[in-house]
Amino acid sequence: MLRRRTTNGPFRPEAVRREDQHTLMRVAQAAPSHFNSQPWRFVLIENPATIARVAELAGQSMTELIEAGLFFERYRRYFRFSQAELEEKRDGIHIDHLPGPLRPFTRQVFSDAGLKVMRQLGVPRKLGQDNRQLVAGSPLLLAALLDKTEYRPGELSGFYSVFGLGAAIENIWNAVEALGMGIQFVSTPAEIPRHWQEVQRLLVVPDELELMALFRLGYLPEEHSRPTIDWSSRHRKRLEQFVYRESCAVPEAEDAPLRTSGHAQL
């Protein structure tokens, strides 16, 4: 689990073996759910035409989000451009791989002037193109859905369903390494309602199911080049930044001494 990582680069072109696909579905099935309701549903997608269309939607979505400034507006709080900022926050994404012409503008990336420069340099189109190529080159897409009988937003059942689906997906994420595979969230189509609706039409999602997320999967190459614009997200918060002792008033120290009950420890 501590070695778990997201795959930002391409996969090998060969199809994912059916037995490996079923293994991932069985580890998802092993996740806990409220009253063993198992509200999750999955669609395994290998059809090249469907993957190509989803890839187009992913690329178009990325281009639109960057072009309009929406991507940076929504997620600016998670962008890290320096090692010092990274060490302080310990979260977000460290954008450490940029084309030369963009490097001087990292601090202005959220400003109107920065966005103008990015448009002039064709960054929205390039990011969209990279996103489309990554999805199009994926031998397997996985759609995660919830049964609306259990998934009722605003009610506890809605929370329980999302919690259960999250556990199922985490099981998949932790299992792919053992199969020599990688996985990445394909998030951009969900950011634009009309593109997300088209994905639902492509997958013939019935009224009783809610499409929640898309992922791309495949076998990992031994070596791969990084995308034009890439980032690292391996850093994690220190214990005192997210763990408390006894109440929310006492942060847990990283080097806190182990407290015992006074009985002999065996």
Side-chain angles (χ1 to χ4, degrees), residues 22-240:
H22 286 183
T23 294
L24 293 177
M25 293 298 92
R26 290 190 180 102
V27 300
Q29 184 185 43
S33 59
H34 193 237
F35 278 97
N36 195 28
S37 55
Q38 303 176 58
W40 47 72
R41 303 290 183 270
F42 295 99
V43 183
L44 298 159
I45 305 154
E46 296 181 287
N47 186 308
T50 304
I51 292 175
R53 182 56 186 150
V54 172
E56 288 177 16
L57 293 169
Q60 289 172 16
S61 300
M62 176 63 84
T63 298
E64 290 179 33
L65 289 166
I66 301 295
E67 184 73 37
L70 296 174
F71 186 82
F72 298 115
E73 182 181 334
R74 291 180 187 177
Y75 302 115
R76 68 178 67 190
R77 60 181 294 193
Y78 298 116
F79 282 65
R80 311 285 176 251
F81 291 105
S82 71
Q83 194 64 34
E85 188 178 23
L86 183 67
E87 286 301 319
E88 178 191 355
K89 301 290 187 180
R90 302 295 301 175
D91 62 6
I93 60 173
H94 183 208
I95 302 179
D96 60 345
H97 191 72
L98 285 167
L102 271 184
R103 289 172 194 156
F105 298 98
T106 54
R107 283 297 164 197
Q108 290 78 39
V109 71
F110 304 125
S111 67
D112 291 340
L115 186 56
K116 182 179 179 180
V117 169
M118 286 195 293
R119 288 177 182 141
Q120 291 172 344
L121 293 173
V123 171
R125 180 181 54 80
K126 181 57 181 170
L127 283 172
Q129 195 175 66
D130 285 352
N131 201 22
R132 183 193 64 78
Q133 289 174 345
L134 282 176
V135 177
S138 304
L140 178 67
L141 298 184
L142 177 67
L145 309 92
L146 282 174
D147 182 347
K148 290 182 181 178
T149 304
E150 288 300 317
Y151 176 60
R152 298 192 294 272
E155 299 181 21
L156 269 176
S157 64
F159 164 74
Y160 294 147
S161 297
V162 171
F163 184 90
L165 180 61
I169 291 171
E170 185 69 8
N171 279 6
I172 293 172
W173 219 300
N174 284 323
V176 292
E177 184 185 14
L179 302 175
M181 295 174 63
I183 183 172
Q184 186 179 32
F185 186 26
V186 182
S187 62
T188 51
E191 301 272 358
I192 298 180
R194 73 179 191 283
H195 291 333
W196 196 237
Q197 289 165 7
E198 182 165 351
V199 173
Q200 294 180 71
R201 287 192 293 270
L202 280 170
L203 302 183
V204 196
V205 177
D207 291 341
E208 62 268 22
L209 296 180
E210 183 77 23
L211 179 62
M212 302 298 291
L214 272 175
F215 303 87
R216 65 183 194 96
L217 301 95
Y219 296 114
L220 294 173
E222 291 186 9
E223 296 181 4
H224 65 83
S225 58
R226 299 182 75 181
T228 308
I229 299 175
D230 197 17
W231 53 83
S232 166
S233 59
R234 294 296 295 161
H235 41 281
R236 293 293 184 269
K237 289 182 178 293
R238 300 177 183 86
L239 287 186
E240 63 264 23

